[in-house]
């Protein structure tokens, strides 16, 4: 059956266009008025985002050896390979602090307390308003928030940025007072609330924040539980990890997402064990895979899971990004850096998805 617009029905055209990279989508807008109308419709945006979130990627911020002030973003996609793009459109020297559903939260390197939200593929960005708090005098230990989180609701096209950390008064040791600032994109302003916490977080804990069920989740340094912020109620709570998981010298645990569900990956000795939360309300976990690491035994001490879906897992080492195909049980190197001065890739690697999410 023909469409008024040509040989193919509208839905077929939309399904094809929804599988293109973001840059290609914008190019097809100028092909004809019909395609412009189809792509501009909210239905297409929702369709594109729905398909894209099923294809997780890894985003790595790599500093250029010739210039400390410049850095590039490397996007590693198991289906489309490796691509590179820049954050030069932000007009500031920035560091990626969090990713969620295609958006990035960036902090200014020269100006503490300045934050941006951007979509690196559409090159759209927003400078967040300054909060009334003075971060340099409020957060311990270095004047910056311990936790930075970004929660993006694809259906409602809204997002929240969370800055949280322990309070420190001048001349005093840090307290258990946990200050939390939440930016609301719909209201374009910050709100603040205070609670008491005593959890600590490693660098990887801070990087691997997961937004699920309207909450932001961070794994604590003890590896016994995760700290969760419900963005609807501004309430912190804790979720226990599987009882079988223990964290020690020979065992490491990481928090990821697996197709819309919470997941933890434990690496110990020569094994990688993947757990998924089957029931969020009842906090019921299930082990879904146990992978032998013997073929990459030499890398095990410095390998870190970054992103995954049902078919594959991305892991970063000091200089490489690997992908493990769960069905074929095959390992593949997706990206590597040659420069010896580059920081460990896992230090600046984030789970990423390509979406048409607008930050305005």
């Amino acid at each position: 059956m023909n469409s008024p617009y040509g040989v193919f029905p509208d839905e077929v055209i939309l399904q094809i266009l929804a599988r293109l990279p973001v840059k290609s989508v914008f190019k097809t807008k100028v092909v004809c008025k019909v395609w412009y109308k189809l792509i501009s419709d909210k239905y297409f945006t929702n369709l594109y985002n729905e398909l894209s979130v099923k294809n997780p990627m890894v985003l790595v911020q790599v500093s250029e050896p010739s210039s400390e002030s410049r850095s590039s973003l490397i996007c590693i996609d198991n289906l489309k390979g490796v691509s590179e793009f820049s954050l030069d459109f932000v007009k500031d020297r920035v560091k990626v602090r969090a990713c969620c559903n295609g958006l990035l939260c960036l902090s200014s390197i020269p100006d503490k307390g300045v934050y941006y939200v951007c979509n690196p593929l559409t090159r759209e960005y927003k400078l967040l308003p300054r909060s009334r708090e003075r971060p340099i005098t409020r957060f311990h230990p270095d004047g910056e928030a311990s936790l930075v989180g970004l929660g993006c609701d694809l259906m409602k096209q809204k997002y929240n940025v969370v800055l949280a950390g322990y309070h420190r008064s001048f001349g005093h040791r840090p307290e258990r007072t946990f200050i939390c600032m939440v930016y609301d994109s719909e209201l374009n302003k910050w709100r603040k609330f205070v609670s008491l916490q005593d959890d600590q977080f490693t660098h990887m804990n801070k990087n691997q924040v997961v937004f699920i069920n309207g909450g932001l989740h961070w794994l604590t340094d003890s590896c016994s539980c995760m700290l969760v912020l419900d963005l609807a109620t501004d309430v912190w709570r804790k979720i226990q990890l599987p009882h079988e998981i223990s964290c020690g010298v020979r065992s490491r645990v990481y928090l990821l997402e697996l197709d819309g569900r919470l997941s933890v990956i434990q690496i110990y000795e020569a094994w990688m064990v993947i757990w998924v939360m089957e029931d969020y309300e009842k906090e019921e976990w299930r082990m879904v895979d146990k992978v032998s690491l013997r073929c990459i035994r030499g890398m095990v001490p410095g390998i870190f899971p970054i992103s995954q879906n049902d078919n594959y897992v991305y892991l970063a080492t000091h200089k490489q990004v690997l992908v493990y195909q769960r069905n074929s049980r095959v390992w593949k190197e997706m990206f590597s850096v040659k420069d010896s001065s580059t920081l460990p890739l896992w230090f600046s690697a984030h789970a990423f998805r390509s979406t048409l999410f607008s930050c305005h």
Side-chain angles (χ1 to χ4, degrees), residues 9-25:
D10 295 355
E11 186 60 32
V12 174
I13 295 175
L14 287 170
Q15 290 289 339
I16 294 172
L17 296 178
R19 286 164 171 78
L20 295 176
V22 171
K23 290 183 179 179
S24 299
V25 170

Side-chain angles (χ1 to χ4, degrees), residues 213-332:
N213 284 11
L216 288 168
H217 303 69
W218 287 270
L219 191 65
T220 61
D221 187 31
S222 66
C223 294
S224 61
C225 66
M226 63 185 79
L227 193 62
V228 187
L229 174 61
D230 187 321
L231 292 171
T233 61
D234 288 347
V235 173
W236 292 97
R237 69 185 184 94
K238 293 183 179 181
I239 291 179
Q240 299 300 313
L241 268 58
H243 298 301
E244 294 85 348
I245 288 182
S246 61
C247 191
V249 178
R250 296 175 177 269
S251 175
R252 295 173 283 136
V253 183
Y254 303 94
L255 176 64
L256 285 80
E257 178 188 345
L258 180 56
D259 294 333
R261 296 171 294 174
L262 285 174
S263 173
V264 289
I265 293 182
Q266 181 183 25
I267 292 180
Y268 68 97
E269 297 177 352
W271 295 98
M272 176 172 70
V273 183
I274 303 174
W275 295 80
V276 66
M277 181 172 276
E278 290 283 271
D279 191 312
Y280 188 84
E281 297 300 324
K282 297 179 181 178
E283 298 185 16
E284 293 179 350
W285 295 89
R286 179 172 66 91
M287 188 179 76
V288 294
D289 206 351
K290 186 174 183 179
V291 181
S292 172
L293 302 178
R294 294 185 184 278
C295 60
I296 59 164
R297 179 182 286 274
M299 297 181 178
V300 172
I303 198 165
F304 298 81
I306 304 297
S307 180
Q308 65 174 338
N309 66 9
D310 277 333
N311 300 317
Y312 47 85
V313 183
Y314 290 105
L315 303 100
T317 68
H318 187 87
K319 291 180 176 294
Q320 299 166 293
V321 174
L322 308 176
V323 64
Y324 172 72
Q325 309 282 352
R326 290 179 58 188
N327 294 328
S328 61
R329 300 196 173 272
V330 171
W331 291 87
K332 178 182 176 183

Side-chain angles (χ1 to χ4, degrees), residues 60-74 84-89 92-96 106-107 109 348:
V60 182
Q61 187 171 17
V62 180
S63 298
E64 296 183 13
S66 58
S67 173
E68 292 184 1
S69 64
R70 297 183 61 188
S71 64
S72 57
L73 294 178
I74 307 297
E84 182 177 349
F85 46 94
S86 170
L87 292 173
D88 57 358
F89 59 91
D92 193 358
R93 207 153 50 96
V94 294
K95 176 184 177 182
V96 178
L106 313 172
S107 63
I109 295 174
S348 57

Side-chain angles (χ1 to χ4, degrees), residues 16-276:
I16 294 172
L17 296 178
R19 286 164 171 78
L20 295 176
V22 171
K23 290 183 179 179
S24 299
V25 170
F26 279 92
K27 289 180 180 178
T28 58
K29 269 191 169 186
V30 299
V31 171
C32 63
K33 291 182 179 179
V34 173
W35 281 21
Y36 179 86
K37 183 179 179 181
L38 287 175
I39 294 172
S40 300
D41 191 81
K42 187 176 180 180
Y43 174 80
F44 176 78
T45 299
N46 292 336
L47 175 64
Y48 188 93
N49 292 339
E50 182 182 329
L51 293 172
S52 295
V53 296
K54 296 177 182 177
N55 179 39
M57 297 174 276
V58 169
L59 193 72
V60 182
Q61 187 171 17
V62 180
S63 298
E64 296 183 13
S66 58
S67 173
E68 292 184 1
S69 64
R70 297 183 61 188
S71 64
S72 57
L73 294 178
I74 307 297
C75 187
I76 299 111
D77 185 337
N78 186 51
L79 302 177
K80 301 167 187 172
V82 178
S83 57
E84 182 177 349
F85 46 94
S86 170
L87 292 173
D88 57 358
F89 59 91
V90 179
K91 309 299 182 185
D92 193 358
R93 207 153 50 96
V94 294
K95 176 184 177 182
V96 178
R97 299 298 303 270
C99 297
C100 183
N101 288 334
L103 294 189
L104 309 181
C105 177
L106 313 172
S107 63
S108 172
I109 295 174
D111 298 317
K112 283 190 176 181
V114 173
Y115 289 87
Y116 303 86
V117 171
C118 81
N119 186 323
L121 300 182
T122 63
R123 296 175 66 83
E124 183 183 62
Y125 78 97
K126 179 180 177 62
L127 170 64
L128 301 187
R130 287 260 196 172
S131 68
R132 293 183 179 180
E133 290 293 307
R134 292 175 295 166
I136 294 177
T137 64
R138 292 291 182 263
F139 286 129
H140 173 82
D142 56 4
E144 289 194 332
S146 297
L147 303 180
V148 177
L150 177 63
C152 304
D153 190 319
L154 285 174
M155 294 306 296
K156 295 180 180 178
Q157 289 285 295
K158 60 172 287 188
Y159 60 88
N160 296 103
V161 174
V162 172
L163 310 177
Y166 289 101
H167 176 85
R168 180 189 62 180
S169 302
F170 281 123
H172 294 81
R173 298 181 64 181
E175 307 165 5
R176 291 180 60 220
T177 305
F178 205 58
I179 299 175
C180 186
M181 306 290 300
V182 181
Y183 172 77
D184 188 314
S185 64
E186 288 186 322
L187 302 177
N188 191 34
K189 66 180 184 180
W190 297 86
R191 63 181 186 268
K192 171 189 172 183
F193 65 98
V194 178
S195 61
L196 295 178
Q197 302 292 340
D198 52 14
D199 294 295
Q200 299 300 321
F201 307 89
T202 67
H203 177 83
M204 287 302 290
N205 293 159
K206 297 173 185 178
N207 263 14
Q208 295 188 312
V209 51
V210 175
F211 176 66
I212 283 177
N213 284 11
L216 288 168
H217 303 69
W218 287 270
L219 191 65
T220 61
D221 187 31
S222 66
C223 294
S224 61
C225 66
M226 63 185 79
L227 193 62
V228 187
L229 174 61
D230 187 321
L231 292 171
T233 61
D234 288 347
V235 173
W236 292 97
R237 69 185 184 94
K238 293 183 179 181
I239 291 179
Q240 299 300 313
L241 268 58
H243 298 301
E244 294 85 348
I245 288 182
S246 61
C247 191
V249 178
R250 296 175 177 269
S251 175
R252 295 173 283 136
V253 183
Y254 303 94
L255 176 64
L256 285 80
E257 178 188 345
L258 180 56
D259 294 333
R261 296 171 294 174
L262 285 174
S263 173
V264 289
I265 293 182
Q266 181 183 25
I267 292 180
Y268 68 97
E269 297 177 352
W271 295 98
M272 176 172 70
V273 183
I274 303 174
W275 295 80
V276 66

